[in-house]
Amino acid sequence: MIESASTFAFACFALAMLMNLWKIVTAPDVADRILALDTMFINAIALMVLYGLALGTEIFFEAAMIIAMLGFVSTVAYARFILRGNIIE
């Protein structure tokens, strides 16, 4: 039962990542692209955690933490660039 649930979750998050990629390519506004990129990071974190659970190893949880930090920093940097025009003052 848990294998079928994890397979379904993998498929859902993979489909969500593909939709985010589509939105990044076709979004009319830069803010929409940033939001899609942030959502793509969240889906990547979920996939890493699911993969770690499926394999029973802890290394993927650490990788998920690194992806989370990179996603936060990149989203803040993009948002600041849109608002102020520069990242570092």
Side-chain angles (χ1 to χ4, degrees):
M1 181 68 183
I2 192 71
E3 290 87 16
S4 61
S6 65
T7 303
F8 179 72
F10 272 118
C12 288
F13 283 114
L15 181 64
M17 283 190 74
L18 287 175
M19 287 199 257
N20 288 330
L21 187 62
W22 175 257
K23 190 67 176 174
I24 288 172
V25 171
T26 62
D29 195 15
V30 176
D32 293 335
R33 291 180 182 169
I34 292 171
L35 184 62
L37 183 66
D38 190 44
T39 308
M40 194 170 178
F41 273 114
I42 293 170
N43 288 328
I45 292 166
L47 280 176
M48 292 293 283
V49 169
L50 280 173
Y51 196 63
L53 286 174
L55 294 182
T57 181
E58 297 173 357
I59 191 73
F60 292 101
F61 300 126
E62 294 175 7
M65 290 286 288
I66 292 172
I67 290 174
M69 287 188 289
L70 287 174
F72 174 74
V73 169
S74 67
T75 302
V76 169
Y78 282 133
R80 189 170 175 152
F81 182 74
I82 287 175
L83 290 176
R84 296 185 181 178
N86 61 0
I87 297 172
I88 300 172
E89 294 181 41

